[in-house]
PDB file of all heavy atoms in Angstrom:
ATOM      1  N   HIS A   1     -14.356  -3.611  -3.306  1.00  0.00           N
ATOM      2  CA  HIS A   1     -13.322  -4.305  -4.065  1.00  0.00           C
ATOM      3  C   HIS A   1     -13.406  -3.878  -5.524  1.00  0.00           C
ATOM      4  O   HIS A   1     -14.481  -3.776  -6.087  1.00  0.00           O
ATOM      5  CB  HIS A   1     -13.450  -5.832  -3.938  1.00  0.00           C
ATOM      6  CG  HIS A   1     -14.699  -6.429  -4.515  1.00  0.00           C
ATOM      7  ND1 HIS A   1     -15.874  -6.534  -3.823  1.00  0.00           N
ATOM      8  CD2 HIS A   1     -14.948  -6.932  -5.753  1.00  0.00           C
ATOM      9  CE1 HIS A   1     -16.807  -7.083  -4.572  1.00  0.00           C
ATOM     10  NE2 HIS A   1     -16.259  -7.336  -5.754  1.00  0.00           N
ATOM     11  N   GLY A   2     -12.247  -3.579  -6.075  1.00  0.00           N
ATOM     12  CA  GLY A   2     -12.192  -3.105  -7.458  1.00  0.00           C
ATOM     13  C   GLY A   2     -11.095  -3.811  -8.238  1.00  0.00           C
ATOM     14  O   GLY A   2     -10.065  -4.204  -7.676  1.00  0.00           O
ATOM     15  N   ARG A   3     -11.329  -3.939  -9.539  1.00  0.00           N
ATOM     16  CA  ARG A   3     -10.353  -4.603 -10.413  1.00  0.00           C
ATOM     17  C   ARG A   3      -9.882  -3.655 -11.497  1.00  0.00           C
ATOM     18  O   ARG A   3     -10.664  -2.927 -12.102  1.00  0.00           O
ATOM     19  CB  ARG A   3     -10.980  -5.834 -11.085  1.00  0.00           C
ATOM     20  CG  ARG A   3     -11.288  -6.980 -10.147  1.00  0.00           C
ATOM     21  CD  ARG A   3     -11.884  -8.178 -10.892  1.00  0.00           C
ATOM     22  NE  ARG A   3     -12.085  -9.302  -9.983  1.00  0.00           N
ATOM     23  CZ  ARG A   3     -13.189  -9.476  -9.248  1.00  0.00           C
ATOM     24  NH1 ARG A   3     -14.171  -8.591  -9.332  1.00  0.00           N
ATOM     25  NH2 ARG A   3     -13.310 -10.522  -8.462  1.00  0.00           N
ATOM     26  N   GLY A   4      -8.569  -3.689 -11.712  1.00  0.00           N
ATOM     27  CA  GLY A   4      -7.971  -2.940 -12.818  1.00  0.00           C
ATOM     28  C   GLY A   4      -7.002  -3.835 -13.553  1.00  0.00           C
ATOM     29  O   GLY A   4      -6.191  -4.512 -12.920  1.00  0.00           O
ATOM     30  N   PHE A   5      -7.116  -3.892 -14.881  1.00  0.00           N
ATOM     31  CA  PHE A   5      -6.228  -4.804 -15.612  1.00  0.00           C
ATOM     32  C   PHE A   5      -4.804  -4.293 -15.582  1.00  0.00           C
ATOM     33  O   PHE A   5      -4.535  -3.097 -15.453  1.00  0.00           O
ATOM     34  CB  PHE A   5      -6.713  -4.998 -17.051  1.00  0.00           C
ATOM     35  CG  PHE A   5      -6.628  -3.743 -17.903  1.00  0.00           C
ATOM     36  CD1 PHE A   5      -5.467  -3.418 -18.587  1.00  0.00           C
ATOM     37  CD2 PHE A   5      -7.737  -2.919 -18.040  1.00  0.00           C
ATOM     38  CE1 PHE A   5      -5.397  -2.284 -19.378  1.00  0.00           C
ATOM     39  CE2 PHE A   5      -7.674  -1.782 -18.832  1.00  0.00           C
ATOM     40  CZ  PHE A   5      -6.510  -1.465 -19.490  1.00  0.00           C
ATOM     41  N   GLY A   6      -3.865  -5.247 -15.630  1.00  0.00           N
ATOM     42  CA  GLY A   6      -2.454  -4.905 -15.590  1.00  0.00           C
ATOM     43  C   GLY A   6      -2.114  -3.895 -16.678  1.00  0.00           C
ATOM     44  O   GLY A   6      -2.501  -4.067 -17.848  1.00  0.00           O
ATOM     45  N   PHE A   7      -1.413  -2.854 -16.329  1.00  0.00           N
ATOM     46  CA  PHE A   7      -1.208  -1.715 -17.233  1.00  0.00           C
ATOM     47  C   PHE A   7       0.287  -1.480 -17.380  1.00  0.00           C
ATOM     48  O   PHE A   7       1.012  -1.407 -16.388  1.00  0.00           O
ATOM     49  CB  PHE A   7      -1.888  -0.490 -16.636  1.00  0.00           C
ATOM     50  CG  PHE A   7      -1.840   0.719 -17.515  1.00  0.00           C
ATOM     51  CD1 PHE A   7      -2.488   0.737 -18.738  1.00  0.00           C
ATOM     52  CD2 PHE A   7      -1.150   1.856 -17.105  1.00  0.00           C
ATOM     53  CE1 PHE A   7      -2.451   1.869 -19.536  1.00  0.00           C
ATOM     54  CE2 PHE A   7      -1.109   2.993 -17.900  1.00  0.00           C
ATOM     55  CZ  PHE A   7      -1.765   2.991 -19.129  1.00  0.00           C
ATOM     56  N   PRO A   8       0.792  -1.340 -18.633  1.00  0.00           N
ATOM     57  CA  PRO A   8       2.248  -1.183 -18.857  1.00  0.00           C
ATOM     58  C   PRO A   8       2.727   0.217 -18.549  1.00  0.00           C
ATOM     59  O   PRO A   8       3.405   0.878 -19.344  1.00  0.00           O
ATOM     60  CB  PRO A   8       2.394  -1.523 -20.345  1.00  0.00           C
ATOM     61  CG  PRO A   8       1.081  -1.113 -20.932  1.00  0.00           C
ATOM     62  CD  PRO A   8       0.060  -1.459 -19.905  1.00  0.00           C
ATOM     63  N   TYR A   9       2.386   0.690 -17.374  1.00  0.00           N
ATOM     64  CA  TYR A   9       2.749   2.034 -16.946  1.00  0.00           C
ATOM     65  C   TYR A   9       4.059   2.033 -16.172  1.00  0.00           C
ATOM     66  O   TYR A   9       4.708   3.036 -16.036  1.00  0.00           O
ATOM     67  CB  TYR A   9       1.596   2.556 -16.071  1.00  0.00           C
ATOM     68  CG  TYR A   9       1.866   3.800 -15.259  1.00  0.00           C
ATOM     69  CD1 TYR A   9       1.772   5.055 -15.847  1.00  0.00           C
ATOM     70  CD2 TYR A   9       2.207   3.718 -13.916  1.00  0.00           C
ATOM     71  CE1 TYR A   9       2.015   6.203 -15.103  1.00  0.00           C
ATOM     72  CE2 TYR A   9       2.453   4.857 -13.162  1.00  0.00           C
ATOM     73  CZ  TYR A   9       2.356   6.091 -13.774  1.00  0.00           C
ATOM     74  OH  TYR A   9       2.588   7.212 -13.028  1.00  0.00           O
ATOM     75  N   GLY A  10       4.419   0.844 -15.698  1.00  0.00           N
ATOM     76  CA  GLY A  10       5.554   0.750 -14.784  1.00  0.00           C
ATOM     77  C   GLY A  10       5.037   0.943 -13.364  1.00  0.00           C
ATOM     78  O   GLY A  10       3.855   1.215 -13.140  1.00  0.00           O
ATOM     79  N   THR A  11       5.920   0.812 -12.406  1.00  0.00           N
ATOM     80  CA  THR A  11       5.493   0.931 -11.014  1.00  0.00           C
ATOM     81  C   THR A  11       6.616   1.513 -10.169  1.00  0.00           C
ATOM     82  O   THR A  11       7.791   1.208 -10.393  1.00  0.00           O
ATOM     83  CB  THR A  11       5.046  -0.403 -10.448  1.00  0.00           C
ATOM     84  OG1 THR A  11       4.693  -0.253  -9.075  1.00  0.00           O
ATOM     85  CG2 THR A  11       6.149  -1.451 -10.560  1.00  0.00           C
ATOM     86  N   SER A  12       6.205   2.346  -9.214  1.00  0.00           N
ATOM     87  CA  SER A  12       7.162   2.901  -8.245  1.00  0.00           C
ATOM     88  C   SER A  12       7.084   2.196  -6.911  1.00  0.00           C
ATOM     89  O   SER A  12       7.738   2.584  -5.947  1.00  0.00           O
ATOM     90  CB  SER A  12       6.880   4.395  -8.038  1.00  0.00           C
ATOM     91  OG  SER A  12       7.024   5.117  -9.249  1.00  0.00           O
ATOM     92  N   LEU A  13       6.260   1.135  -6.836  1.00  0.00           N
ATOM     93  CA  LEU A  13       6.108   0.407  -5.588  1.00  0.00           C
ATOM     94  C   LEU A  13       7.362  -0.429  -5.333  1.00  0.00           C
ATOM     95  O   LEU A  13       7.924  -1.040  -6.252  1.00  0.00           O
ATOM     96  CB  LEU A  13       4.896  -0.516  -5.643  1.00  0.00           C
ATOM     97  CG  LEU A  13       3.540   0.144  -5.902  1.00  0.00           C
ATOM     98  CD1 LEU A  13       2.436  -0.888  -5.830  1.00  0.00           C
ATOM     99  CD2 LEU A  13       3.282   1.271  -4.899  1.00  0.00           C
ATOM    100  N   GLU A  14       7.772  -0.470  -4.067  1.00  0.00           N
ATOM    101  CA  GLU A  14       8.955  -1.228  -3.691  1.00  0.00           C
ATOM    102  C   GLU A  14       8.675  -1.995  -2.401  1.00  0.00           C
ATOM    103  O   GLU A  14       7.834  -1.569  -1.594  1.00  0.00           O
ATOM    104  CB  GLU A  14      10.157  -0.296  -3.474  1.00  0.00           C
ATOM    105  CG  GLU A  14      10.599   0.423  -4.734  1.00  0.00           C
ATOM    106  CD  GLU A  14      11.828   1.278  -4.492  1.00  0.00           C
ATOM    107  OE1 GLU A  14      12.200   1.443  -3.306  1.00  0.00           O
ATOM    108  OE2 GLU A  14      12.386   1.791  -5.466  1.00  0.00           O
ATOM    109  N   PRO A  15       9.348  -3.124  -2.196  1.00  0.00           N
ATOM    110  CA  PRO A  15       9.209  -3.829  -0.915  1.00  0.00           C
ATOM    111  C   PRO A  15       9.523  -2.895   0.245  1.00  0.00           C
ATOM    112  O   PRO A  15      10.476  -2.107   0.185  1.00  0.00           O
ATOM    113  CB  PRO A  15      10.232  -4.974  -1.030  1.00  0.00           C
ATOM    114  CG  PRO A  15      10.399  -5.173  -2.499  1.00  0.00           C
ATOM    115  CD  PRO A  15      10.274  -3.813  -3.122  1.00  0.00           C
ATOM    116  N   ALA A  16       8.696  -3.000   1.278  1.00  0.00           N
ATOM    117  CA  ALA A  16       8.837  -2.079   2.406  1.00  0.00           C
ATOM    118  C   ALA A  16       9.020  -2.880   3.696  1.00  0.00           C
ATOM    119  O   ALA A  16       8.656  -4.049   3.787  1.00  0.00           O
ATOM    120  CB  ALA A  16       7.617  -1.175   2.511  1.00  0.00           C
ATOM    121  N   ASN A  17       9.592  -2.214   4.698  1.00  0.00           N
ATOM    122  CA  ASN A  17       9.732  -2.812   6.007  1.00  0.00           C
ATOM    123  C   ASN A  17       8.376  -2.887   6.688  1.00  0.00           C
ATOM    124  O   ASN A  17       7.659  -1.892   6.749  1.00  0.00           O
ATOM    125  CB  ASN A  17      10.711  -1.981   6.854  1.00  0.00           C
ATOM    126  CG  ASN A  17      10.869  -2.523   8.248  1.00  0.00           C
ATOM    127  OD1 ASN A  17      10.084  -2.217   9.149  1.00  0.00           O
ATOM    128  ND2 ASN A  17      11.911  -3.330   8.460  1.00  0.00           N
ATOM    129  N   TYR A  18       8.027  -4.056   7.197  1.00  0.00           N
ATOM    130  CA  TYR A  18       6.667  -4.258   7.742  1.00  0.00           C
ATOM    131  C   TYR A  18       6.452  -3.364   8.964  1.00  0.00           C
ATOM    132  O   TYR A  18       5.447  -2.660   9.050  1.00  0.00           O
ATOM    133  CB  TYR A  18       6.443  -5.720   8.114  1.00  0.00           C
ATOM    134  CG  TYR A  18       5.019  -6.004   8.558  1.00  0.00           C
ATOM    135  CD1 TYR A  18       4.054  -6.342   7.618  1.00  0.00           C
ATOM    136  CD2 TYR A  18       4.656  -5.912   9.882  1.00  0.00           C
ATOM    137  CE1 TYR A  18       2.748  -6.572   8.008  1.00  0.00           C
ATOM    138  CE2 TYR A  18       3.361  -6.144  10.293  1.00  0.00           C
ATOM    139  CZ  TYR A  18       2.396  -6.483   9.343  1.00  0.00           C
ATOM    140  OH  TYR A  18       1.094  -6.689   9.727  1.00  0.00           O
ATOM    141  N   ASP A  19       7.361  -3.412   9.920  1.00  0.00           N
ATOM    142  CA  ASP A  19       7.159  -2.658  11.153  1.00  0.00           C
ATOM    143  C   ASP A  19       7.091  -1.155  10.900  1.00  0.00           C
ATOM    144  O   ASP A  19       6.251  -0.455  11.476  1.00  0.00           O
ATOM    145  CB  ASP A  19       8.276  -2.979  12.169  1.00  0.00           C
ATOM    146  CG  ASP A  19       8.223  -4.433  12.636  1.00  0.00           C
ATOM    147  OD1 ASP A  19       7.112  -4.982  12.686  1.00  0.00           O
ATOM    148  OD2 ASP A  19       9.300  -4.995  12.913  1.00  0.00           O
ATOM    149  N   GLU A  20       7.962  -0.657  10.028  1.00  0.00           N
ATOM    150  CA  GLU A  20       7.926   0.769   9.724  1.00  0.00           C
ATOM    151  C   GLU A  20       6.652   1.144   9.007  1.00  0.00           C
ATOM    152  O   GLU A  20       6.060   2.200   9.255  1.00  0.00           O
ATOM    153  CB  GLU A  20       9.150   1.133   8.892  1.00  0.00           C
ATOM    154  CG  GLU A  20      10.481   1.018   9.622  1.00  0.00           C
ATOM    155  CD  GLU A  20      11.677   1.307   8.736  1.00  0.00           C
ATOM    156  OE1 GLU A  20      11.465   1.580   7.533  1.00  0.00           O
ATOM    157  OE2 GLU A  20      12.815   1.250   9.241  1.00  0.00           O
ATOM    158  N   SER A  21       6.183   0.260   8.101  1.00  0.00           N
ATOM    159  CA  SER A  21       4.934   0.516   7.383  1.00  0.00           C
ATOM    160  C   SER A  21       3.750   0.506   8.330  1.00  0.00           C
ATOM    161  O   SER A  21       2.819   1.304   8.204  1.00  0.00           O
ATOM    162  CB  SER A  21       4.738  -0.521   6.276  1.00  0.00           C
ATOM    163  OG  SER A  21       5.797  -0.461   5.338  1.00  0.00           O
ATOM    164  N   LEU A  22       3.780  -0.407   9.293  1.00  0.00           N
ATOM    165  CA  LEU A  22       2.712  -0.481  10.268  1.00  0.00           C
ATOM    166  C   LEU A  22       2.644   0.803  11.081  1.00  0.00           C
ATOM    167  O   LEU A  22       1.556   1.300  11.416  1.00  0.00           O
ATOM    168  CB  LEU A  22       2.905  -1.683  11.176  1.00  0.00           C
ATOM    169  CG  LEU A  22       1.712  -2.064  12.065  1.00  0.00           C
ATOM    170  CD1 LEU A  22       0.495  -2.432  11.214  1.00  0.00           C
ATOM    171  CD2 LEU A  22       2.069  -3.226  12.984  1.00  0.00           C
ATOM    172  N   ASP A  23       3.791   1.360  11.408  1.00  0.00           N
ATOM    173  CA  ASP A  23       3.814   2.640  12.122  1.00  0.00           C
ATOM    174  C   ASP A  23       3.150   3.735  11.309  1.00  0.00           C
ATOM    175  O   ASP A  23       2.497   4.634  11.848  1.00  0.00           O
ATOM    176  CB  ASP A  23       5.253   3.041  12.463  1.00  0.00           C
ATOM    177  CG  ASP A  23       5.853   2.189  13.571  1.00  0.00           C
ATOM    178  OD1 ASP A  23       5.080   1.570  14.313  1.00  0.00           O
ATOM    179  OD2 ASP A  23       7.098   2.139  13.672  1.00  0.00           O
ATOM    180  N   VAL A  24       3.299   3.673   9.992  1.00  0.00           N
ATOM    181  CA  VAL A  24       2.714   4.688   9.117  1.00  0.00           C
ATOM    182  C   VAL A  24       1.199   4.571   9.051  1.00  0.00           C
ATOM    183  O   VAL A  24       0.483   5.578   9.151  1.00  0.00           O
ATOM    184  CB  VAL A  24       3.320   4.588   7.694  1.00  0.00           C
ATOM    185  CG1 VAL A  24       2.568   5.499   6.722  1.00  0.00           C
ATOM    186  CG2 VAL A  24       4.793   4.953   7.713  1.00  0.00           C
ATOM    187  N   ILE A  25       0.696   3.351   8.899  1.00  0.00           N
ATOM    188  CA  ILE A  25      -0.753   3.193   8.693  1.00  0.00           C
ATOM    189  C   ILE A  25      -1.525   3.123   9.994  1.00  0.00           C
ATOM    190  O   ILE A  25      -2.750   3.344   9.994  1.00  0.00           O
ATOM    191  CB  ILE A  25      -1.044   1.925   7.844  1.00  0.00           C
ATOM    192  CG1 ILE A  25      -0.628   0.647   8.594  1.00  0.00           C
ATOM    193  CG2 ILE A  25      -0.377   2.025   6.483  1.00  0.00           C
ATOM    194  CD1 ILE A  25      -0.990  -0.622   7.840  1.00  0.00           C
ATOM    195  N   ARG A  26      -0.857   2.820  11.092  1.00  0.00           N
ATOM    196  CA  ARG A  26      -1.567   2.722  12.368  1.00  0.00           C
ATOM    197  C   ARG A  26      -2.161   4.087  12.717  1.00  0.00           C
ATOM    198  O   ARG A  26      -1.476   5.100  12.726  1.00  0.00           O
ATOM    199  CB  ARG A  26      -0.635   2.241  13.463  1.00  0.00           C
ATOM    200  CG  ARG A  26      -1.352   1.957  14.779  1.00  0.00           C
ATOM    201  CD  ARG A  26      -0.387   1.522  15.867  1.00  0.00           C
ATOM    202  NE  ARG A  26       0.055   0.147  15.687  1.00  0.00           N
ATOM    203  CZ  ARG A  26       1.309  -0.221  15.492  1.00  0.00           C
ATOM    204  NH1 ARG A  26       2.247   0.700  15.391  1.00  0.00           N
ATOM    205  NH2 ARG A  26       1.635  -1.495  15.363  1.00  0.00           N
ATOM    206  N   GLY A  27      -3.433   4.116  13.012  1.00  0.00           N
ATOM    207  CA  GLY A  27      -4.093   5.370  13.380  1.00  0.00           C
ATOM    208  C   GLY A  27      -4.628   6.146  12.209  1.00  0.00           C
ATOM    209  O   GLY A  27      -5.262   7.193  12.389  1.00  0.00           O
ATOM    210  N   THR A  28      -4.403   5.661  10.966  1.00  0.00           N
ATOM    211  CA  THR A  28      -4.951   6.364   9.813  1.00  0.00           C
ATOM    212  C   THR A  28      -6.450   6.120   9.703  1.00  0.00           C
ATOM    213  O   THR A  28      -6.977   5.122  10.194  1.00  0.00           O
ATOM    214  CB  THR A  28      -4.286   5.891   8.515  1.00  0.00           C
ATOM    215  OG1 THR A  28      -4.555   4.498   8.325  1.00  0.00           O
ATOM    216  CG2 THR A  28      -2.777   6.110   8.557  1.00  0.00           C
ATOM    217  N   GLU A  29      -7.137   7.055   9.057  1.00  0.00           N
ATOM    218  CA  GLU A  29      -8.574   6.892   8.844  1.00  0.00           C
ATOM    219  C   GLU A  29      -8.863   5.652   8.026  1.00  0.00           C
ATOM    220  O   GLU A  29      -9.893   4.997   8.210  1.00  0.00           O
ATOM    221  CB  GLU A  29      -9.152   8.126   8.156  1.00  0.00           C
ATOM    222  CG  GLU A  29      -9.153   9.381   9.040  1.00  0.00           C
ATOM    223  CD  GLU A  29      -9.817  10.551   8.370  1.00  0.00           C
ATOM    224  OE1 GLU A  29     -10.343  10.376   7.237  1.00  0.00           O
ATOM    225  OE2 GLU A  29      -9.806  11.661   8.934  1.00  0.00           O
ATOM    226  N   ALA A  30      -7.964   5.323   7.089  1.00  0.00           N
ATOM    227  CA  ALA A  30      -8.182   4.163   6.225  1.00  0.00           C
ATOM    228  C   ALA A  30      -8.225   2.872   7.039  1.00  0.00           C
ATOM    229  O   ALA A  30      -9.113   2.034   6.852  1.00  0.00           O
ATOM    230  CB  ALA A  30      -7.094   4.088   5.161  1.00  0.00           C
ATOM    231  N   LEU A  31      -7.250   2.701   7.954  1.00  0.00           N
ATOM    232  CA  LEU A  31      -7.225   1.477   8.757  1.00  0.00           C
ATOM    233  C   LEU A  31      -8.382   1.456   9.743  1.00  0.00           C
ATOM    234  O   LEU A  31      -8.964   0.386   9.976  1.00  0.00           O
ATOM    235  CB  LEU A  31      -5.878   1.380   9.499  1.00  0.00           C
ATOM    236  CG  LEU A  31      -5.601   0.025  10.158  1.00  0.00           C
ATOM    237  CD1 LEU A  31      -5.564  -1.094   9.114  1.00  0.00           C
ATOM    238  CD2 LEU A  31      -4.289   0.064  10.939  1.00  0.00           C
ATOM    239  N   GLU A  32      -8.713   2.602  10.304  1.00  0.00           N
ATOM    240  CA  GLU A  32      -9.852   2.649  11.220  1.00  0.00           C
ATOM    241  C   GLU A  32     -11.156   2.332  10.492  1.00  0.00           C
ATOM    242  O   GLU A  32     -12.055   1.685  11.048  1.00  0.00           O
ATOM    243  CB  GLU A  32      -9.929   4.021  11.882  1.00  0.00           C
ATOM    244  CG  GLU A  32      -8.804   4.285  12.861  1.00  0.00           C
ATOM    245  CD  GLU A  32      -8.871   5.669  13.470  1.00  0.00           C
ATOM    246  OE1 GLU A  32      -9.826   6.406  13.122  1.00  0.00           O
ATOM    247  OE2 GLU A  32      -7.995   6.008  14.297  1.00  0.00           O
TER     248      GLU A  32
END
């Protein structure tokens, strides 16, 4: 677990579809 203070860099993150996202991460080394 790591902490980073809020940074005024802006963000490219957007709300994503759960099922489609699950298809992406399923089977990845990170999830395993």
Side-chain angles (χ1 to χ4, degrees):
H1 65 273
R3 292 181 176 86
F5 66 87
F7 185 65
Y9 167 82
T11 178
S12 300
L13 301 184
E14 295 182 351
N17 178 275
Y18 186 88
D19 294 329
E20 293 176 359
S21 299
L22 192 61
D23 287 340
V24 171
I25 64 176
R26 187 182 284 118
T28 62
E29 291 184 4
L31 191 61
E32 291 179 0

